[in-house]
Amino acid sequence: MTDPRFTFANERTFLAWVRTALGMIAGAAALHALDTGWPDAAVRVMSAALALTAGAVSVLAWLRWRRAEAAIRDGVEVPPTSGHVVIAGVLAGVALMTLVLVLT
């Protein structure tokens, strides 16, 4: 029998990924709604990047949860994830664009 603590920990990890996606959606909407004075194209690109990444993070979260749950049930090692790279890459890009826009 599987220890339920592992399943609960897996669920908490899934929910953390979902919270990250929700934060990215909120950031995309706020960026699009605020009048920053930045070029409209730049704001649209950054908002779209955040929103698209939020969707990808949601899918990755579910896939990760499912793989981890199967590994826990089967008693094997949980496979590593590469989703962190997606989040970090997009956020670094948006942060760089924001820095450039703020300084110009």
Side-chain angles (χ1 to χ4, degrees):
M1 179 172 200
T2 304
D3 188 342
R5 292 178 293 180
F6 296 123
T7 298
F8 293 142
N10 188 35
E11 185 175 316
R12 284 191 303 273
T13 302
F14 170 76
L15 293 172
W17 280 69
V18 170
R19 281 191 305 272
T20 299
L22 286 171
M24 294 175 101
I25 291 169
L31 184 60
H32 186 71
L34 293 175
D35 183 17
T36 59
W38 297 342
D40 190 49
V43 171
R44 285 179 185 265
V45 166
M46 292 181 350
S47 294
L50 287 171
L52 289 171
T53 304
V57 166
S58 298
V59 171
L60 288 171
W62 181 75
L63 292 172
R64 168 80 174 152
W65 172 84
R66 193 178 74 180
R67 282 194 316 259
E69 199 63 27
I72 291 167
R73 183 180 54 247
D74 297 340
V76 298
E77 191 170 321
V78 176
T81 183
S82 60
H84 302 92
V85 176
V86 173
I87 298 170
V90 171
L91 290 180
V94 170
L96 182 62
M97 285 182 71
T98 302
L99 182 64
V100 168
L101 291 168
V102 166
L103 294 178
T104 57

Short mmCIF file of all heavy atoms in Angstrom, two decimals, residues 11-58:
data_model
loop_
_atom_site.label_atom_id
_atom_site.label_comp_id
_atom_site.label_asym_id
_atom_site.label_seq_id
_atom_site.Cartn_x
_atom_site.Cartn_y
_atom_site.Cartn_z
N GLU A 11 0.02 16.19 -4.86
CA GLU A 11 -1.10 17.10 -5.10
C GLU A 11 -0.72 18.54 -4.76
O GLU A 11 -1.06 19.47 -5.50
CB GLU A 11 -2.30 16.67 -4.26
CG GLU A 11 -3.54 17.47 -4.53
CD GLU A 11 -4.74 16.95 -3.76
OE1 GLU A 11 -4.93 15.71 -3.72
OE2 GLU A 11 -5.48 17.77 -3.20
N ARG A 12 0.01 18.75 -3.66
CA ARG A 12 0.45 20.10 -3.30
C ARG A 12 1.38 20.67 -4.36
O ARG A 12 1.31 21.87 -4.67
CB ARG A 12 1.13 20.09 -1.93
CG ARG A 12 0.18 19.98 -0.78
CD ARG A 12 0.87 20.24 0.55
NE ARG A 12 2.00 19.35 0.80
CZ ARG A 12 1.92 18.15 1.36
NH1 ARG A 12 0.74 17.68 1.70
NH2 ARG A 12 2.99 17.43 1.57
N THR A 13 2.23 19.83 -4.92
CA THR A 13 3.12 20.29 -5.99
C THR A 13 2.31 20.70 -7.21
O THR A 13 2.56 21.74 -7.82
CB THR A 13 4.13 19.18 -6.36
OG1 THR A 13 4.88 18.83 -5.19
CG2 THR A 13 5.05 19.63 -7.46
N PHE A 14 1.32 19.90 -7.57
CA PHE A 14 0.44 20.24 -8.69
C PHE A 14 -0.23 21.59 -8.44
O PHE A 14 -0.26 22.46 -9.32
CB PHE A 14 -0.61 19.14 -8.88
CG PHE A 14 -1.70 19.51 -9.83
CD1 PHE A 14 -1.48 19.50 -11.20
CD2 PHE A 14 -2.95 19.88 -9.36
CE1 PHE A 14 -2.49 19.85 -12.08
CE2 PHE A 14 -3.96 20.23 -10.24
CZ PHE A 14 -3.73 20.21 -11.60
N LEU A 15 -0.76 21.78 -7.25
CA LEU A 15 -1.44 23.03 -6.93
C LEU A 15 -0.48 24.22 -6.96
O LEU A 15 -0.87 25.33 -7.34
CB LEU A 15 -2.14 22.92 -5.58
CG LEU A 15 -3.32 21.94 -5.55
CD1 LEU A 15 -3.82 21.77 -4.12
CD2 LEU A 15 -4.42 22.37 -6.49
N ALA A 16 0.77 24.02 -6.58
CA ALA A 16 1.76 25.10 -6.66
C ALA A 16 2.00 25.51 -8.11
O ALA A 16 2.13 26.69 -8.43
CB ALA A 16 3.06 24.66 -6.00
N TRP A 17 2.06 24.52 -9.01
CA TRP A 17 2.22 24.83 -10.43
C TRP A 17 1.00 25.59 -10.95
O TRP A 17 1.13 26.52 -11.74
CB TRP A 17 2.40 23.53 -11.22
CG TRP A 17 3.78 22.97 -11.16
CD1 TRP A 17 4.40 22.43 -10.08
CD2 TRP A 17 4.71 22.89 -12.23
NE1 TRP A 17 5.65 22.00 -10.42
CE2 TRP A 17 5.86 22.27 -11.74
CE3 TRP A 17 4.67 23.25 -13.57
CZ2 TRP A 17 6.97 22.03 -12.52
CZ3 TRP A 17 5.77 23.01 -14.35
CH2 TRP A 17 6.91 22.42 -13.83
N VAL A 18 -0.18 25.19 -10.51
CA VAL A 18 -1.41 25.87 -10.94
C VAL A 18 -1.42 27.31 -10.41
O VAL A 18 -1.80 28.23 -11.13
CB VAL A 18 -2.66 25.08 -10.49
CG1 VAL A 18 -3.94 25.89 -10.70
CG2 VAL A 18 -2.74 23.76 -11.24
N ARG A 19 -0.99 27.51 -9.18
CA ARG A 19 -0.90 28.88 -8.64
C ARG A 19 0.08 29.72 -9.46
O ARG A 19 -0.16 30.91 -9.70
CB ARG A 19 -0.46 28.86 -7.17
CG ARG A 19 -1.56 28.53 -6.22
CD ARG A 19 -1.15 28.79 -4.77
NE ARG A 19 0.08 28.08 -4.38
CZ ARG A 19 0.11 26.85 -3.90
NH1 ARG A 19 -1.01 26.16 -3.75
NH2 ARG A 19 1.25 26.30 -3.55
N THR A 20 1.18 29.12 -9.87
CA THR A 20 2.13 29.83 -10.72
C THR A 20 1.47 30.24 -12.03
O THR A 20 1.62 31.38 -12.48
CB THR A 20 3.36 28.94 -11.00
OG1 THR A 20 3.99 28.64 -9.75
CG2 THR A 20 4.35 29.64 -11.91
N ALA A 21 0.71 29.34 -12.64
CA ALA A 21 0.01 29.65 -13.88
C ALA A 21 -1.00 30.77 -13.66
O ALA A 21 -1.11 31.69 -14.49
CB ALA A 21 -0.67 28.40 -14.44
N LEU A 22 -1.74 30.72 -12.57
CA LEU A 22 -2.71 31.77 -12.28
C LEU A 22 -2.03 33.12 -12.09
O LEU A 22 -2.54 34.15 -12.54
CB LEU A 22 -3.52 31.41 -11.03
CG LEU A 22 -4.57 30.32 -11.21
CD1 LEU A 22 -5.14 29.91 -9.85
CD2 LEU A 22 -5.66 30.78 -12.14
N GLY A 23 -0.89 33.13 -11.43
CA GLY A 23 -0.13 34.37 -11.27
C GLY A 23 0.33 34.93 -12.60
O GLY A 23 0.31 36.15 -12.82
N MET A 24 0.73 34.05 -13.50
CA MET A 24 1.16 34.50 -14.82
C MET A 24 -0.02 35.06 -15.61
O MET A 24 0.12 36.06 -16.32
CB MET A 24 1.82 33.36 -15.58
CG MET A 24 3.12 32.92 -14.95
SD MET A 24 3.80 31.48 -15.76
CE MET A 24 5.02 32.28 -16.77
N ILE A 25 -1.19 34.45 -15.49
CA ILE A 25 -2.39 34.96 -16.16
C ILE A 25 -2.74 36.34 -15.59
O ILE A 25 -3.06 37.27 -16.34
CB ILE A 25 -3.56 33.98 -16.00
CG1 ILE A 25 -3.29 32.71 -16.80
CG2 ILE A 25 -4.88 34.62 -16.44
CD1 ILE A 25 -4.26 31.58 -16.52
N ALA A 26 -2.69 36.48 -14.27
CA ALA A 26 -2.98 37.77 -13.65
C ALA A 26 -1.98 38.83 -14.10
O ALA A 26 -2.36 39.97 -14.39
CB ALA A 26 -2.96 37.63 -12.12
N GLY A 27 -0.71 38.45 -14.19
CA GLY A 27 0.30 39.39 -14.66
C GLY A 27 0.08 39.80 -16.11
O GLY A 27 0.22 40.97 -16.46
N ALA A 28 -0.31 38.84 -16.94
CA ALA A 28 -0.59 39.14 -18.35
C ALA A 28 -1.76 40.10 -18.47
O ALA A 28 -1.72 41.07 -19.23
CB ALA A 28 -0.87 37.85 -19.11
N ALA A 29 -2.83 39.84 -17.71
CA ALA A 29 -4.01 40.70 -17.77
C ALA A 29 -3.70 42.09 -17.23
O ALA A 29 -4.12 43.10 -17.81
CB ALA A 29 -5.16 40.07 -16.99
N ALA A 30 -2.97 42.16 -16.14
CA ALA A 30 -2.62 43.46 -15.56
C ALA A 30 -1.74 44.27 -16.50
O ALA A 30 -1.96 45.47 -16.70
CB ALA A 30 -1.92 43.26 -14.21
N LEU A 31 -0.77 43.61 -17.09
CA LEU A 31 0.13 44.29 -18.02
C LEU A 31 -0.65 44.85 -19.21
O LEU A 31 -0.42 45.97 -19.65
CB LEU A 31 1.22 43.33 -18.48
CG LEU A 31 2.30 43.90 -19.39
CD1 LEU A 31 3.06 45.02 -18.70
CD2 LEU A 31 3.26 42.79 -19.78
N HIS A 32 -1.58 44.06 -19.69
CA HIS A 32 -2.38 44.48 -20.85
C HIS A 32 -3.36 45.61 -20.47
O HIS A 32 -3.63 46.49 -21.28
CB HIS A 32 -3.15 43.29 -21.41
CG HIS A 32 -3.87 43.60 -22.67
ND1 HIS A 32 -3.23 43.82 -23.86
CD2 HIS A 32 -5.19 43.74 -22.93
CE1 HIS A 32 -4.11 44.09 -24.80
NE2 HIS A 32 -5.31 44.04 -24.25
N ALA A 33 -3.88 45.58 -19.24
CA ALA A 33 -4.88 46.56 -18.82
C ALA A 33 -4.29 47.90 -18.41
O ALA A 33 -4.95 48.93 -18.55
CB ALA A 33 -5.71 45.99 -17.67
N LEU A 34 -3.07 47.90 -17.90
CA LEU A 34 -2.47 49.14 -17.40
C LEU A 34 -1.94 50.00 -18.55
O LEU A 34 -1.47 49.49 -19.57
CB LEU A 34 -1.32 48.82 -16.45
CG LEU A 34 -1.70 48.16 -15.14
CD1 LEU A 34 -0.46 47.78 -14.35
CD2 LEU A 34 -2.61 49.05 -14.32
N ASP A 35 -2.01 51.30 -18.34
CA ASP A 35 -1.43 52.22 -19.32
C ASP A 35 -0.01 52.55 -18.87
O ASP A 35 0.22 53.43 -18.06
CB ASP A 35 -2.28 53.49 -19.39
CG ASP A 35 -1.77 54.46 -20.44
OD1 ASP A 35 -0.99 54.03 -21.32
OD2 ASP A 35 -2.16 55.64 -20.38
N THR A 36 0.92 51.80 -19.42
CA THR A 36 2.32 51.96 -19.03
C THR A 36 3.05 53.01 -19.86
O THR A 36 4.12 53.46 -19.47
CB THR A 36 3.08 50.62 -19.20
OG1 THR A 36 2.99 50.23 -20.57
CG2 THR A 36 2.49 49.55 -18.30
N GLY A 37 2.46 53.36 -21.00
CA GLY A 37 3.14 54.27 -21.90
C GLY A 37 4.17 53.56 -22.78
O GLY A 37 4.87 54.19 -23.55
N TRP A 38 4.26 52.26 -22.64
CA TRP A 38 5.18 51.47 -23.45
C TRP A 38 4.56 51.22 -24.82
O TRP A 38 3.34 51.30 -24.97
CB TRP A 38 5.49 50.15 -22.78
CG TRP A 38 6.19 50.27 -21.45
CD1 TRP A 38 6.85 51.35 -20.96
CD2 TRP A 38 6.28 49.26 -20.45
NE1 TRP A 38 7.35 51.08 -19.72
CE2 TRP A 38 7.01 49.81 -19.38
CE3 TRP A 38 5.81 47.97 -20.35
CZ2 TRP A 38 7.30 49.09 -18.22
CZ3 TRP A 38 6.08 47.25 -19.20
CH2 TRP A 38 6.83 47.80 -18.16
N PRO A 39 5.38 50.89 -25.80
CA PRO A 39 4.82 50.57 -27.13
C PRO A 39 3.81 49.42 -27.03
O PRO A 39 4.03 48.43 -26.33
CB PRO A 39 6.04 50.15 -27.94
CG PRO A 39 7.20 50.78 -27.25
CD PRO A 39 6.84 50.84 -25.80
N ASP A 40 2.69 49.60 -27.73
CA ASP A 40 1.61 48.61 -27.67
C ASP A 40 2.08 47.22 -28.09
O ASP A 40 1.68 46.23 -27.50
CB ASP A 40 0.45 49.08 -28.56
CG ASP A 40 -0.79 48.25 -28.35
OD1 ASP A 40 -1.18 48.06 -27.18
OD2 ASP A 40 -1.36 47.78 -29.35
N ALA A 41 2.93 47.17 -29.10
CA ALA A 41 3.42 45.86 -29.58
C ALA A 41 4.20 45.13 -28.48
O ALA A 41 4.04 43.92 -28.30
CB ALA A 41 4.27 46.04 -30.82
N ALA A 42 5.02 45.86 -27.74
CA ALA A 42 5.82 45.24 -26.67
C ALA A 42 4.92 44.71 -25.56
O ALA A 42 5.12 43.60 -25.06
CB ALA A 42 6.82 46.24 -26.11
N VAL A 43 3.92 45.49 -25.19
CA VAL A 43 2.99 45.07 -24.14
C VAL A 43 2.22 43.83 -24.59
O VAL A 43 2.04 42.88 -23.82
CB VAL A 43 2.02 46.22 -23.78
CG1 VAL A 43 0.91 45.74 -22.86
CG2 VAL A 43 2.79 47.36 -23.12
N ARG A 44 1.79 43.81 -25.84
CA ARG A 44 1.05 42.66 -26.35
C ARG A 44 1.93 41.40 -26.38
O ARG A 44 1.48 40.32 -26.02
CB ARG A 44 0.51 42.94 -27.74
CG ARG A 44 -0.67 43.86 -27.74
CD ARG A 44 -1.16 44.11 -29.18
NE ARG A 44 -2.21 45.09 -29.19
CZ ARG A 44 -3.51 44.78 -29.18
NH1 ARG A 44 -3.88 43.52 -29.17
NH2 ARG A 44 -4.42 45.72 -29.19
N VAL A 45 3.18 41.56 -26.79
CA VAL A 45 4.09 40.41 -26.84
C VAL A 45 4.33 39.86 -25.44
O VAL A 45 4.27 38.64 -25.21
CB VAL A 45 5.43 40.79 -27.53
CG1 VAL A 45 6.50 39.74 -27.28
CG2 VAL A 45 5.22 41.01 -29.01
N MET A 46 4.58 40.75 -24.49
CA MET A 46 4.84 40.29 -23.12
C MET A 46 3.59 39.65 -22.51
O MET A 46 3.67 38.61 -21.86
CB MET A 46 5.34 41.45 -22.27
CG MET A 46 6.71 41.91 -22.69
SD MET A 46 7.51 43.26 -21.79
CE MET A 46 6.35 43.95 -20.73
N SER A 47 2.43 40.26 -22.71
CA SER A 47 1.18 39.70 -22.19
C SER A 47 0.89 38.34 -22.81
O SER A 47 0.50 37.39 -22.12
CB SER A 47 0.01 40.64 -22.46
OG SER A 47 0.16 41.83 -21.74
N ALA A 48 1.07 38.25 -24.13
CA ALA A 48 0.83 36.97 -24.81
C ALA A 48 1.82 35.91 -24.34
O ALA A 48 1.42 34.75 -24.13
CB ALA A 48 0.94 37.16 -26.33
N ALA A 49 3.08 36.29 -24.15
CA ALA A 49 4.08 35.32 -23.68
C ALA A 49 3.70 34.78 -22.30
O ALA A 49 3.78 33.57 -22.05
CB ALA A 49 5.46 35.96 -23.64
N LEU A 50 3.26 35.67 -21.42
CA LEU A 50 2.86 35.23 -20.08
C LEU A 50 1.62 34.33 -20.15
O LEU A 50 1.56 33.29 -19.47
CB LEU A 50 2.59 36.43 -19.18
CG LEU A 50 3.82 37.20 -18.72
CD1 LEU A 50 3.40 38.49 -18.01
CD2 LEU A 50 4.67 36.35 -17.80
N ALA A 51 0.63 34.73 -20.94
CA ALA A 51 -0.60 33.94 -21.03
C ALA A 51 -0.35 32.57 -21.66
O ALA A 51 -0.85 31.55 -21.17
CB ALA A 51 -1.65 34.71 -21.82
N LEU A 52 0.43 32.53 -22.73
CA LEU A 52 0.74 31.25 -23.37
C LEU A 52 1.54 30.34 -22.45
O LEU A 52 1.31 29.13 -22.39
CB LEU A 52 1.48 31.48 -24.68
CG LEU A 52 0.65 32.06 -25.82
CD1 LEU A 52 1.54 32.45 -26.99
CD2 LEU A 52 -0.42 31.07 -26.26
N THR A 53 2.48 30.93 -21.74
CA THR A 53 3.28 30.13 -20.81
C THR A 53 2.41 29.61 -19.67
O THR A 53 2.60 28.48 -19.20
CB THR A 53 4.45 30.95 -20.26
OG1 THR A 53 5.22 31.43 -21.36
CG2 THR A 53 5.33 30.13 -19.35
N ALA A 54 1.45 30.41 -19.22
CA ALA A 54 0.53 29.95 -18.18
C ALA A 54 -0.24 28.72 -18.65
O ALA A 54 -0.42 27.76 -17.90
CB ALA A 54 -0.43 31.07 -17.79
N GLY A 55 -0.67 28.74 -19.89
CA GLY A 55 -1.35 27.57 -20.44
C GLY A 55 -0.44 26.36 -20.49
O GLY A 55 -0.83 25.25 -20.14
N ALA A 56 0.80 26.59 -20.93
CA ALA A 56 1.77 25.49 -21.00
C ALA A 56 2.08 24.95 -19.61
O ALA A 56 2.18 23.74 -19.40
CB ALA A 56 3.05 25.96 -21.68
N VAL A 57 2.20 25.84 -18.63
CA VAL A 57 2.48 25.42 -17.26
C VAL A 57 1.33 24.58 -16.72
O VAL A 57 1.55 23.57 -16.04
CB VAL A 57 2.74 26.65 -16.35
CG1 VAL A 57 2.69 26.29 -14.88
CG2 VAL A 57 4.08 27.27 -16.70
N SER A 58 0.10 24.94 -17.05
CA SER A 58 -1.05 24.16 -16.60
C SER A 58 -1.00 22.74 -17.16
O SER A 58 -1.23 21.77 -16.44
CB SER A 58 -2.35 24.83 -17.04
OG SER A 58 -2.46 26.10 -16.45
#
